[in-house]
Amino acid sequence: MVFSGILVGFIDSKKSDPVWEEIIQMGNRREIFLDYFLIDKLDGLSLELHTPEDKGIVLNYDQPWEIFSPAYVTILKDKYLYRAYYRSGIRGDRKPYTNEEWTCYAESKDGINWEKPALGLFEFEGSRKNNIVLANEAPVHHNFSPFIDNNPKAMPEQKYKALGGTSRESIGLIAYSSPDGINWKKMQEEGVIKKGAFDSQNVAFWSESEEQYICYFRIFTKEGRFRSISRATSKDFIHWSEPVEMTYGDAPYEHLYIQQTSPYFRAPHIYVAIGARLLPNRQIGTLEQLTELKVDPNQHKGLAEPYIMTTRGGHVYDRTFMEAFIRPGIGLNNWVARTNFPALNVVQTGPEEMSVYVNQDYTQPTAHLRRYAMRLDGFSSIHANYNGGTVITKPFTFSGEQLELNFSTAAAGEIRIEIQDEHGIPIPGFTMEESAELIGNEIAKIASWKNGKSLISLATKPIRLHIYMKDADLYSLKFN
């Protein structure tokens, strides 16, 4: 676990032996409700997944060098510039990992309106007026996946790093670096991770909470029955640990074609994975229909859709929500093989909005990238219907003097908060009756009580929150 904890004992009234429970050291980290990490008891409430809102096409793959299978998109928010990287090519022989594939680049000032700059780096059909950012590096550009290196010790000339490659001929994942995100070079010739299948997007990042580089990459389960994920770690991006296969708790195995695991930018200790699961034997279009759509004949079978899961470090993913995060859209074009693959990373695109991007119409002439928006922290929530209910958190310590909430209520709804000690006893001055009623729709609202006191006297002490909700959603909380 990323969080460390201390153990305390208390007496359960129904038992004579002490009950030992871990105290979560939350500090001032934000907690979102994509798992049950902070939740002890729900009464009349539930965790609810929220579908992002379709905002339409933001990027068409319409250039002659982009006509075949654009895929494996990475979106980076680089201060005031958004960067997109994606595989494209012509590949008339339909063979992957060749120099008929390359990595293309687009950029945006707002994450909504995108353009493809003429980079002048590589020639295509006699011209350098194109947005190809990496070429002649087979097999790397098949699944080239970059990130901004937030390691405080990273050298300026290696501000951007990336991995790409294949298990074929024992090549492995090859490491690249760049000073500007445009001009890339190998960090060494030999692959840095070699034990894996790698035949999809393999993602890496610097983990602020674990203080090391993490890579999540494609494998097949030991029985070879399912596409799955392994994890490796590194202190220098060159020397990596032995891979560890990820597990999924009690969730059933599925074909997880890509996983797109990355730190959530508002809570970087939580790695959010918005990937694509594949149902390889499902097909709903007839041969005639798929031919009319001009779908590549090799991509007629196998439906895909985005899913969402989390991990907080270690080798376990939490699949609290097994439902699709974004269902395939209306129209047969959304129901062909390997379409609906999400891009890597969720990025903020407005004061109260964040976006995820999804690659659609795979191997069709209409192939494009689409944007889906949601409120900040709005992947999911603790949800209350009109009848209301309560949630009690696990015991935790915090730092700060205010409790900030991201929530929405109906006009007839409300939220009230009681602070208890670790045994569940209400703390005077912070009881439910003394809680100020929270009504409205706020990204950052400070909870208060009648006494008007700050929470500084409770900081570092083990507490629980007892929250009453009616016709409301609670998306996140943190202490300031």
Side-chain angles (χ1 to χ4, degrees), residues 33 45-50 375 378 380-385 405-410 413-415 438 440-442 467-476:
F33 298 105
L45 307 182
S46 62
L47 290 192
E48 182 169 296
L49 189 63
H50 297 283
R375 70 184 291 142
S380 57
S381 66
I382 301 176
H383 174 72
N385 61 22
L405 303 176
N406 181 347
F407 71 94
S408 66
T409 75
E414 65 173 309
I415 297 177
L438 294 168
N441 193 342
E442 304 280 353
I467 305 173
Y468 169 76
M469 300 172 56
K470 174 183 177 179
D471 204 352
D473 287 279
L474 178 60
Y475 300 95
S476 70

PDB file of all heavy atoms in Angstrom, residues 33 45-50 375 378 380-385 405-410 413-415 438 440-442 467-476:
ATOM      1  N   PHE A  33     -13.673   8.407  -4.743  1.00  0.00           N
ATOM      2  CA  PHE A  33     -14.411   7.198  -4.359  1.00  0.00           C
ATOM      3  C   PHE A  33     -14.572   6.243  -5.541  1.00  0.00           C
ATOM      4  O   PHE A  33     -15.669   5.905  -5.964  1.00  0.00           O
ATOM      5  CB  PHE A  33     -15.745   7.586  -3.726  1.00  0.00           C
ATOM      6  CG  PHE A  33     -15.560   8.375  -2.471  1.00  0.00           C
ATOM      7  CD1 PHE A  33     -15.779   9.753  -2.447  1.00  0.00           C
ATOM      8  CD2 PHE A  33     -15.103   7.769  -1.312  1.00  0.00           C
ATOM      9  CE1 PHE A  33     -15.578  10.490  -1.297  1.00  0.00           C
ATOM     10  CE2 PHE A  33     -14.889   8.495  -0.150  1.00  0.00           C
ATOM     11  CZ  PHE A  33     -15.131   9.863  -0.139  1.00  0.00           C
ATOM     12  N   LEU A  45     -26.631   3.963   1.158  1.00  0.00           N
ATOM     13  CA  LEU A  45     -25.871   4.630   0.108  1.00  0.00           C
ATOM     14  C   LEU A  45     -25.161   3.599  -0.750  1.00  0.00           C
ATOM     15  O   LEU A  45     -25.088   2.421  -0.417  1.00  0.00           O
ATOM     16  CB  LEU A  45     -24.843   5.595   0.712  1.00  0.00           C
ATOM     17  CG  LEU A  45     -25.342   6.628   1.722  1.00  0.00           C
ATOM     18  CD1 LEU A  45     -24.181   7.513   2.174  1.00  0.00           C
ATOM     19  CD2 LEU A  45     -26.454   7.475   1.127  1.00  0.00           C
ATOM     20  N   SER A  46     -24.586   4.051  -1.861  1.00  0.00           N
ATOM     21  CA  SER A  46     -23.854   3.147  -2.747  1.00  0.00           C
ATOM     22  C   SER A  46     -22.783   3.915  -3.493  1.00  0.00           C
ATOM     23  O   SER A  46     -22.843   5.150  -3.611  1.00  0.00           O
ATOM     24  CB  SER A  46     -24.811   2.484  -3.748  1.00  0.00           C
ATOM     25  OG  SER A  46     -25.416   3.466  -4.573  1.00  0.00           O
ATOM     26  N   LEU A  47     -21.779   3.199  -4.001  1.00  0.00           N
ATOM     27  CA  LEU A  47     -20.826   3.805  -4.926  1.00  0.00           C
ATOM     28  C   LEU A  47     -21.429   3.744  -6.319  1.00  0.00           C
ATOM     29  O   LEU A  47     -21.936   2.707  -6.736  1.00  0.00           O
ATOM     30  CB  LEU A  47     -19.486   3.073  -4.900  1.00  0.00           C
ATOM     31  CG  LEU A  47     -18.634   3.213  -3.643  1.00  0.00           C
ATOM     32  CD1 LEU A  47     -17.225   2.686  -3.899  1.00  0.00           C
ATOM     33  CD2 LEU A  47     -18.567   4.651  -3.165  1.00  0.00           C
ATOM     34  N   GLU A  48     -21.376   4.851  -7.039  1.00  0.00           N
ATOM     35  CA  GLU A  48     -21.991   4.927  -8.359  1.00  0.00           C
ATOM     36  C   GLU A  48     -20.975   5.415  -9.388  1.00  0.00           C
ATOM     37  O   GLU A  48     -20.296   6.420  -9.174  1.00  0.00           O
ATOM     38  CB  GLU A  48     -23.189   5.872  -8.333  1.00  0.00           C
ATOM     39  CG  GLU A  48     -23.915   5.981  -9.656  1.00  0.00           C
ATOM     40  CD  GLU A  48     -25.244   6.710  -9.531  1.00  0.00           C
ATOM     41  OE1 GLU A  48     -26.147   6.199  -8.833  1.00  0.00           O
ATOM     42  OE2 GLU A  48     -25.368   7.793 -10.124  1.00  0.00           O
ATOM     43  N   LEU A  49     -20.864   4.702 -10.497  1.00  0.00           N
ATOM     44  CA  LEU A  49     -19.988   5.087 -11.593  1.00  0.00           C
ATOM     45  C   LEU A  49     -20.704   6.099 -12.480  1.00  0.00           C
ATOM     46  O   LEU A  49     -21.899   5.967 -12.747  1.00  0.00           O
ATOM     47  CB  LEU A  49     -19.625   3.840 -12.411  1.00  0.00           C
ATOM     48  CG  LEU A  49     -18.546   3.973 -13.479  1.00  0.00           C
ATOM     49  CD1 LEU A  49     -17.206   4.332 -12.851  1.00  0.00           C
ATOM     50  CD2 LEU A  49     -18.430   2.677 -14.274  1.00  0.00           C
ATOM     51  N   HIS A  50     -19.969   7.116 -12.941  1.00  0.00           N
ATOM     52  CA  HIS A  50     -20.569   8.160 -13.768  1.00  0.00           C
ATOM     53  C   HIS A  50     -19.991   8.129 -15.174  1.00  0.00           C
ATOM     54  O   HIS A  50     -18.771   8.137 -15.352  1.00  0.00           O
ATOM     55  CB  HIS A  50     -20.344   9.539 -13.145  1.00  0.00           C
ATOM     56  CG  HIS A  50     -20.994   9.693 -11.811  1.00  0.00           C
ATOM     57  ND1 HIS A  50     -22.354   9.902 -11.664  1.00  0.00           N
ATOM     58  CD2 HIS A  50     -20.481   9.634 -10.556  1.00  0.00           C
ATOM     59  CE1 HIS A  50     -22.639   9.990 -10.371  1.00  0.00           C
ATOM     60  NE2 HIS A  50     -21.525   9.822  -9.682  1.00  0.00           N
ATOM     61  N   ARG A 375     -16.876  16.193 -14.560  1.00  0.00           N
ATOM     62  CA  ARG A 375     -16.453  17.152 -13.546  1.00  0.00           C
ATOM     63  C   ARG A 375     -15.153  16.663 -12.914  1.00  0.00           C
ATOM     64  O   ARG A 375     -14.825  15.464 -12.940  1.00  0.00           O
ATOM     65  CB  ARG A 375     -17.529  17.344 -12.481  1.00  0.00           C
ATOM     66  CG  ARG A 375     -17.721  16.147 -11.584  1.00  0.00           C
ATOM     67  CD  ARG A 375     -18.866  16.329 -10.604  1.00  0.00           C
ATOM     68  NE  ARG A 375     -18.595  17.330  -9.584  1.00  0.00           N
ATOM     69  CZ  ARG A 375     -19.502  18.172  -9.108  1.00  0.00           C
ATOM     70  NH1 ARG A 375     -20.751  18.133  -9.556  1.00  0.00           N
ATOM     71  NH2 ARG A 375     -19.191  19.053  -8.187  1.00  0.00           N
ATOM     72  N   GLY A 378     -14.855  13.395 -11.019  1.00  0.00           N
ATOM     73  CA  GLY A 378     -16.191  12.861 -11.267  1.00  0.00           C
ATOM     74  C   GLY A 378     -16.257  11.481 -11.883  1.00  0.00           C
ATOM     75  O   GLY A 378     -17.251  11.161 -12.544  1.00  0.00           O
ATOM     76  N   SER A 380     -16.687   8.780 -10.230  1.00  0.00           N
ATOM     77  CA  SER A 380     -17.687   8.054  -9.452  1.00  0.00           C
ATOM     78  C   SER A 380     -17.976   8.854  -8.191  1.00  0.00           C
ATOM     79  O   SER A 380     -17.342   9.877  -7.930  1.00  0.00           O
ATOM     80  CB  SER A 380     -17.164   6.653  -9.083  1.00  0.00           C
ATOM     81  OG  SER A 380     -15.938   6.770  -8.359  1.00  0.00           O
ATOM     82  N   SER A 381     -18.919   8.363  -7.396  1.00  0.00           N
ATOM     83  CA  SER A 381     -19.279   9.091  -6.179  1.00  0.00           C
ATOM     84  C   SER A 381     -19.920   8.147  -5.177  1.00  0.00           C
ATOM     85  O   SER A 381     -20.349   7.038  -5.515  1.00  0.00           O
ATOM     86  CB  SER A 381     -20.277  10.215  -6.509  1.00  0.00           C
ATOM     87  OG  SER A 381     -21.518   9.657  -6.945  1.00  0.00           O
ATOM     88  N   ILE A 382     -19.977   8.625  -3.932  1.00  0.00           N
ATOM     89  CA  ILE A 382     -20.896   8.031  -2.958  1.00  0.00           C
ATOM     90  C   ILE A 382     -22.248   8.658  -3.243  1.00  0.00           C
ATOM     91  O   ILE A 382     -22.388   9.883  -3.216  1.00  0.00           O
ATOM     92  CB  ILE A 382     -20.459   8.305  -1.516  1.00  0.00           C
ATOM     93  CG1 ILE A 382     -19.071   7.746  -1.252  1.00  0.00           C
ATOM     94  CG2 ILE A 382     -21.462   7.691  -0.536  1.00  0.00           C
ATOM     95  CD1 ILE A 382     -18.531   8.060   0.142  1.00  0.00           C
ATOM     96  N   HIS A 383     -23.246   7.829  -3.539  1.00  0.00           N
ATOM     97  CA  HIS A 383     -24.532   8.331  -4.016  1.00  0.00           C
ATOM     98  C   HIS A 383     -25.646   8.063  -3.004  1.00  0.00           C
ATOM     99  O   HIS A 383     -25.735   6.978  -2.419  1.00  0.00           O
ATOM    100  CB  HIS A 383     -24.900   7.668  -5.340  1.00  0.00           C
ATOM    101  CG  HIS A 383     -26.268   8.025  -5.839  1.00  0.00           C
ATOM    102  ND1 HIS A 383     -26.564   9.272  -6.346  1.00  0.00           N
ATOM    103  CD2 HIS A 383     -27.425   7.304  -5.864  1.00  0.00           C
ATOM    104  CE1 HIS A 383     -27.833   9.298  -6.690  1.00  0.00           C
ATOM    105  NE2 HIS A 383     -28.395   8.135  -6.407  1.00  0.00           N
ATOM    106  N   ALA A 384     -26.482   9.074  -2.817  1.00  0.00           N
ATOM    107  CA  ALA A 384     -27.657   8.945  -1.946  1.00  0.00           C
ATOM    108  C   ALA A 384     -28.910   9.249  -2.744  1.00  0.00           C
ATOM    109  O   ALA A 384     -28.967  10.241  -3.479  1.00  0.00           O
ATOM    110  CB  ALA A 384     -27.552   9.922  -0.773  1.00  0.00           C
ATOM    111  N   ASN A 385     -29.923   8.403  -2.602  1.00  0.00           N
ATOM    112  CA  ASN A 385     -31.218   8.704  -3.224  1.00  0.00           C
ATOM    113  C   ASN A 385     -32.035   9.599  -2.295  1.00  0.00           C
ATOM    114  O   ASN A 385     -31.541  10.087  -1.269  1.00  0.00           O
ATOM    115  CB  ASN A 385     -31.957   7.420  -3.584  1.00  0.00           C
ATOM    116  CG  ASN A 385     -32.258   6.555  -2.370  1.00  0.00           C
ATOM    117  OD1 ASN A 385     -32.293   7.044  -1.235  1.00  0.00           O
ATOM    118  ND2 ASN A 385     -32.481   5.274  -2.586  1.00  0.00           N
ATOM    119  N   LEU A 405     -14.853  19.542   0.392  1.00  0.00           N
ATOM    120  CA  LEU A 405     -15.687  18.534  -0.252  1.00  0.00           C
ATOM    121  C   LEU A 405     -15.984  18.918  -1.695  1.00  0.00           C
ATOM    122  O   LEU A 405     -16.196  20.094  -2.011  1.00  0.00           O
ATOM    123  CB  LEU A 405     -17.015  18.375   0.491  1.00  0.00           C
ATOM    124  CG  LEU A 405     -16.960  18.014   1.974  1.00  0.00           C
ATOM    125  CD1 LEU A 405     -18.371  18.005   2.547  1.00  0.00           C
ATOM    126  CD2 LEU A 405     -16.300  16.683   2.177  1.00  0.00           C
ATOM    127  N   ASN A 406     -16.029  17.932  -2.559  1.00  0.00           N
ATOM    128  CA  ASN A 406     -16.523  18.071  -3.931  1.00  0.00           C
ATOM    129  C   ASN A 406     -17.829  17.290  -3.976  1.00  0.00           C
ATOM    130  O   ASN A 406     -17.835  16.066  -3.830  1.00  0.00           O
ATOM    131  CB  ASN A 406     -15.492  17.495  -4.912  1.00  0.00           C
ATOM    132  CG  ASN A 406     -15.899  17.626  -6.370  1.00  0.00           C
ATOM    133  OD1 ASN A 406     -17.042  17.934  -6.685  1.00  0.00           O
ATOM    134  ND2 ASN A 406     -14.951  17.355  -7.262  1.00  0.00           N
ATOM    135  N   PHE A 407     -18.963  17.990  -4.154  1.00  0.00           N
ATOM    136  CA  PHE A 407     -20.259  17.323  -4.009  1.00  0.00           C
ATOM    137  C   PHE A 407     -21.315  18.007  -4.867  1.00  0.00           C
ATOM    138  O   PHE A 407     -21.136  19.136  -5.358  1.00  0.00           O
ATOM    139  CB  PHE A 407     -20.709  17.343  -2.541  1.00  0.00           C
ATOM    140  CG  PHE A 407     -21.113  18.712  -2.064  1.00  0.00           C
ATOM    141  CD1 PHE A 407     -22.446  19.125  -2.107  1.00  0.00           C
ATOM    142  CD2 PHE A 407     -20.164  19.604  -1.574  1.00  0.00           C
ATOM    143  CE1 PHE A 407     -22.819  20.394  -1.681  1.00  0.00           C
ATOM    144  CE2 PHE A 407     -20.533  20.866  -1.141  1.00  0.00           C
ATOM    145  CZ  PHE A 407     -21.860  21.271  -1.198  1.00  0.00           C
ATOM    146  N   SER A 408     -22.427  17.345  -5.017  1.00  0.00           N
ATOM    147  CA  SER A 408     -23.620  17.975  -5.591  1.00  0.00           C
ATOM    148  C   SER A 408     -24.837  17.413  -4.879  1.00  0.00           C
ATOM    149  O   SER A 408     -24.854  16.246  -4.486  1.00  0.00           O
ATOM    150  CB  SER A 408     -23.726  17.725  -7.098  1.00  0.00           C
ATOM    151  OG  SER A 408     -23.931  16.353  -7.364  1.00  0.00           O
ATOM    152  N   THR A 409     -25.858  18.254  -4.699  1.00  0.00           N
ATOM    153  CA  THR A 409     -27.123  17.809  -4.111  1.00  0.00           C
ATOM    154  C   THR A 409     -28.269  18.294  -4.991  1.00  0.00           C
ATOM    155  O   THR A 409     -28.114  19.217  -5.798  1.00  0.00           O
ATOM    156  CB  THR A 409     -27.348  18.375  -2.691  1.00  0.00           C
ATOM    157  OG1 THR A 409     -27.709  19.758  -2.786  1.00  0.00           O
ATOM    158  CG2 THR A 409     -26.113  18.218  -1.821  1.00  0.00           C
ATOM    159  N   ALA A 410     -29.413  17.681  -4.826  1.00  0.00           N
ATOM    160  CA  ALA A 410     -30.639  18.230  -5.387  1.00  0.00           C
ATOM    161  C   ALA A 410     -31.074  19.411  -4.516  1.00  0.00           C
ATOM    162  O   ALA A 410     -30.556  19.611  -3.408  1.00  0.00           O
ATOM    163  CB  ALA A 410     -31.727  17.159  -5.418  1.00  0.00           C
ATOM    164  N   GLY A 413     -32.044  18.025  -1.484  1.00  0.00           N
ATOM    165  CA  GLY A 413     -31.036  17.181  -0.864  1.00  0.00           C
ATOM    166  C   GLY A 413     -30.188  17.925   0.149  1.00  0.00           C
ATOM    167  O   GLY A 413     -30.319  19.137   0.348  1.00  0.00           O
ATOM    168  N   GLU A 414     -29.262  17.198   0.772  1.00  0.00           N
ATOM    169  CA  GLU A 414     -28.358  17.803   1.739  1.00  0.00           C
ATOM    170  C   GLU A 414     -27.247  16.822   2.105  1.00  0.00           C
ATOM    171  O   GLU A 414     -27.349  15.614   1.859  1.00  0.00           O
ATOM    172  CB  GLU A 414     -29.107  18.206   3.011  1.00  0.00           C
ATOM    173  CG  GLU A 414     -29.677  17.020   3.788  1.00  0.00           C
ATOM    174  CD  GLU A 414     -30.270  17.444   5.132  1.00  0.00           C
ATOM    175  OE1 GLU A 414     -29.573  18.138   5.893  1.00  0.00           O
ATOM    176  OE2 GLU A 414     -31.425  17.073   5.412  1.00  0.00           O
ATOM    177  N   ILE A 415     -26.197  17.374   2.706  1.00  0.00           N
ATOM    178  CA  ILE A 415     -25.107  16.594   3.287  1.00  0.00           C
ATOM    179  C   ILE A 415     -24.772  17.195   4.639  1.00  0.00           C
ATOM    180  O   ILE A 415     -24.680  18.424   4.772  1.00  0.00           O
ATOM    181  CB  ILE A 415     -23.852  16.600   2.378  1.00  0.00           C
ATOM    182  CG1 ILE A 415     -24.149  15.925   1.029  1.00  0.00           C
ATOM    183  CG2 ILE A 415     -22.682  15.900   3.068  1.00  0.00           C
ATOM    184  CD1 ILE A 415     -22.987  15.958   0.059  1.00  0.00           C
ATOM    185  N   LEU A 438     -24.991  21.242   4.027  1.00  0.00           N
ATOM    186  CA  LEU A 438     -24.357  21.507   2.741  1.00  0.00           C
ATOM    187  C   LEU A 438     -25.371  21.247   1.638  1.00  0.00           C
ATOM    188  O   LEU A 438     -25.893  20.133   1.507  1.00  0.00           O
ATOM    189  CB  LEU A 438     -23.138  20.605   2.552  1.00  0.00           C
ATOM    190  CG  LEU A 438     -21.963  20.858   3.508  1.00  0.00           C
ATOM    191  CD1 LEU A 438     -20.948  19.731   3.416  1.00  0.00           C
ATOM    192  CD2 LEU A 438     -21.306  22.197   3.205  1.00  0.00           C
ATOM    193  N   GLY A 440     -26.095  22.290  -2.646  1.00  0.00           N
ATOM    194  CA  GLY A 440     -25.589  22.957  -3.834  1.00  0.00           C
ATOM    195  C   GLY A 440     -24.783  22.016  -4.712  1.00  0.00           C
ATOM    196  O   GLY A 440     -24.901  20.779  -4.636  1.00  0.00           O
ATOM    197  N   ASN A 441     -23.941  22.612  -5.538  1.00  0.00           N
ATOM    198  CA  ASN A 441     -23.101  21.868  -6.478  1.00  0.00           C
ATOM    199  C   ASN A 441     -21.751  22.562  -6.486  1.00  0.00           C
ATOM    200  O   ASN A 441     -21.574  23.606  -7.103  1.00  0.00           O
ATOM    201  CB  ASN A 441     -23.746  21.880  -7.871  1.00  0.00           C
ATOM    202  CG  ASN A 441     -23.106  20.876  -8.810  1.00  0.00           C
ATOM    203  OD1 ASN A 441     -22.005  20.405  -8.589  1.00  0.00           O
ATOM    204  ND2 ASN A 441     -23.818  20.549  -9.875  1.00  0.00           N
ATOM    205  N   GLU A 442     -20.782  21.992  -5.786  1.00  0.00           N
ATOM    206  CA  GLU A 442     -19.508  22.665  -5.536  1.00  0.00           C
ATOM    207  C   GLU A 442     -18.335  21.728  -5.814  1.00  0.00           C
ATOM    208  O   GLU A 442     -18.370  20.546  -5.449  1.00  0.00           O
ATOM    209  CB  GLU A 442     -19.427  23.134  -4.079  1.00  0.00           C
ATOM    210  CG  GLU A 442     -20.564  24.035  -3.624  1.00  0.00           C
ATOM    211  CD  GLU A 442     -20.374  25.475  -4.067  1.00  0.00           C
ATOM    212  OE1 GLU A 442     -19.297  25.781  -4.618  1.00  0.00           O
ATOM    213  OE2 GLU A 442     -21.301  26.283  -3.864  1.00  0.00           O
ATOM    214  N   ILE A 467     -21.047  10.623   7.755  1.00  0.00           N
ATOM    215  CA  ILE A 467     -21.640  11.543   6.789  1.00  0.00           C
ATOM    216  C   ILE A 467     -23.071  11.122   6.476  1.00  0.00           C
ATOM    217  O   ILE A 467     -23.317   9.967   6.087  1.00  0.00           O
ATOM    218  CB  ILE A 467     -20.813  11.588   5.488  1.00  0.00           C
ATOM    219  CG1 ILE A 467     -19.350  11.940   5.795  1.00  0.00           C
ATOM    220  CG2 ILE A 467     -21.399  12.594   4.499  1.00  0.00           C
ATOM    221  CD1 ILE A 467     -18.427  11.835   4.597  1.00  0.00           C
ATOM    222  N   TYR A 468     -23.997  12.065   6.632  1.00  0.00           N
ATOM    223  CA  TYR A 468     -25.381  11.843   6.235  1.00  0.00           C
ATOM    224  C   TYR A 468     -25.603  12.516   4.880  1.00  0.00           C
ATOM    225  O   TYR A 468     -25.207  13.671   4.661  1.00  0.00           O
ATOM    226  CB  TYR A 468     -26.357  12.430   7.256  1.00  0.00           C
ATOM    227  CG  TYR A 468     -27.792  12.446   6.757  1.00  0.00           C
ATOM    228  CD1 TYR A 468     -28.555  11.277   6.717  1.00  0.00           C
ATOM    229  CD2 TYR A 468     -28.368  13.625   6.284  1.00  0.00           C
ATOM    230  CE1 TYR A 468     -29.856  11.288   6.232  1.00  0.00           C
ATOM    231  CE2 TYR A 468     -29.676  13.650   5.813  1.00  0.00           C
ATOM    232  CZ  TYR A 468     -30.406  12.468   5.776  1.00  0.00           C
ATOM    233  OH  TYR A 468     -31.689  12.470   5.289  1.00  0.00           O
ATOM    234  N   MET A 469     -26.262  11.797   3.967  1.00  0.00           N
ATOM    235  CA  MET A 469     -26.521  12.324   2.632  1.00  0.00           C
ATOM    236  C   MET A 469     -27.949  12.011   2.212  1.00  0.00           C
ATOM    237  O   MET A 469     -28.469  10.935   2.501  1.00  0.00           O
ATOM    238  CB  MET A 469     -25.552  11.706   1.607  1.00  0.00           C
ATOM    239  CG  MET A 469     -24.085  11.975   1.887  1.00  0.00           C
ATOM    240  SD  MET A 469     -22.968  11.040   0.792  1.00  0.00           S
ATOM    241  CE  MET A 469     -23.547  11.571  -0.819  1.00  0.00           C
ATOM    242  N   LYS A 470     -28.558  12.961   1.505  1.00  0.00           N
ATOM    243  CA  LYS A 470     -29.889  12.765   0.941  1.00  0.00           C
ATOM    244  C   LYS A 470     -29.909  13.376  -0.456  1.00  0.00           C
ATOM    245  O   LYS A 470     -29.546  14.549  -0.629  1.00  0.00           O
ATOM    246  CB  LYS A 470     -30.959  13.426   1.814  1.00  0.00           C
ATOM    247  CG  LYS A 470     -32.374  13.382   1.211  1.00  0.00           C
ATOM    248  CD  LYS A 470     -33.384  14.122   2.077  1.00  0.00           C
ATOM    249  CE  LYS A 470     -34.762  14.135   1.417  1.00  0.00           C
ATOM    250  NZ  LYS A 470     -35.779  14.831   2.237  1.00  0.00           N
ATOM    251  N   ASP A 471     -30.302  12.589  -1.459  1.00  0.00           N
ATOM    252  CA  ASP A 471     -30.378  13.041  -2.856  1.00  0.00           C
ATOM    253  C   ASP A 471     -29.112  13.827  -3.214  1.00  0.00           C
ATOM    254  O   ASP A 471     -29.171  15.009  -3.582  1.00  0.00           O
ATOM    255  CB  ASP A 471     -31.623  13.893  -3.082  1.00  0.00           C
ATOM    256  CG  ASP A 471     -32.058  13.891  -4.554  1.00  0.00           C
ATOM    257  OD1 ASP A 471     -31.311  13.354  -5.395  1.00  0.00           O
ATOM    258  OD2 ASP A 471     -33.142  14.440  -4.852  1.00  0.00           O
ATOM    259  N   ALA A 472     -27.984  13.157  -3.092  1.00  0.00           N
ATOM    260  CA  ALA A 472     -26.690  13.848  -3.211  1.00  0.00           C
ATOM    261  C   ALA A 472     -25.626  12.888  -3.713  1.00  0.00           C
ATOM    262  O   ALA A 472     -25.772  11.662  -3.664  1.00  0.00           O
ATOM    263  CB  ALA A 472     -26.301  14.446  -1.869  1.00  0.00           C
ATOM    264  N   ASP A 473     -24.519  13.490  -4.172  1.00  0.00           N
ATOM    265  CA  ASP A 473     -23.332  12.735  -4.572  1.00  0.00           C
ATOM    266  C   ASP A 473     -22.112  13.388  -3.964  1.00  0.00           C
ATOM    267  O   ASP A 473     -21.963  14.620  -4.026  1.00  0.00           O
ATOM    268  CB  ASP A 473     -23.184  12.712  -6.101  1.00  0.00           C
ATOM    269  CG  ASP A 473     -24.196  11.807  -6.764  1.00  0.00           C
ATOM    270  OD1 ASP A 473     -23.953  10.594  -6.783  1.00  0.00           O
ATOM    271  OD2 ASP A 473     -25.233  12.315  -7.256  1.00  0.00           O
ATOM    272  N   LEU A 474     -21.249  12.581  -3.392  1.00  0.00           N
ATOM    273  CA  LEU A 474     -19.965  13.044  -2.848  1.00  0.00           C
ATOM    274  C   LEU A 474     -18.850  12.449  -3.699  1.00  0.00           C
ATOM    275  O   LEU A 474     -18.691  11.244  -3.763  1.00  0.00           O
ATOM    276  CB  LEU A 474     -19.822  12.611  -1.389  1.00  0.00           C
ATOM    277  CG  LEU A 474     -18.497  12.983  -0.702  1.00  0.00           C
ATOM    278  CD1 LEU A 474     -18.289  14.502  -0.681  1.00  0.00           C
ATOM    279  CD2 LEU A 474     -18.473  12.418   0.717  1.00  0.00           C
ATOM    280  N   TYR A 475     -18.076  13.321  -4.363  1.00  0.00           N
ATOM    281  CA  TYR A 475     -17.070  12.878  -5.326  1.00  0.00           C
ATOM    282  C   TYR A 475     -15.682  12.750  -4.701  1.00  0.00           C
ATOM    283  O   TYR A 475     -14.919  11.852  -5.072  1.00  0.00           O
ATOM    284  CB  TYR A 475     -17.001  13.856  -6.502  1.00  0.00           C
ATOM    285  CG  TYR A 475     -18.311  13.975  -7.234  1.00  0.00           C
ATOM    286  CD1 TYR A 475     -19.221  14.990  -6.927  1.00  0.00           C
ATOM    287  CD2 TYR A 475     -18.671  13.063  -8.229  1.00  0.00           C
ATOM    288  CE1 TYR A 475     -20.422  15.102  -7.577  1.00  0.00           C
ATOM    289  CE2 TYR A 475     -19.873  13.177  -8.891  1.00  0.00           C
ATOM    290  CZ  TYR A 475     -20.764  14.201  -8.569  1.00  0.00           C
ATOM    291  OH  TYR A 475     -21.959  14.296  -9.214  1.00  0.00           O
ATOM    292  N   SER A 476     -15.361  13.635  -3.793  1.00  0.00           N
ATOM    293  CA  SER A 476     -14.033  13.573  -3.176  1.00  0.00           C
ATOM    294  C   SER A 476     -14.012  14.410  -1.905  1.00  0.00           C
ATOM    295  O   SER A 476     -14.900  15.244  -1.674  1.00  0.00           O
ATOM    296  CB  SER A 476     -12.944  14.064  -4.142  1.00  0.00           C
ATOM    297  OG  SER A 476     -13.047  15.462  -4.348  1.00  0.00           O
TER     298      SER A 476
END
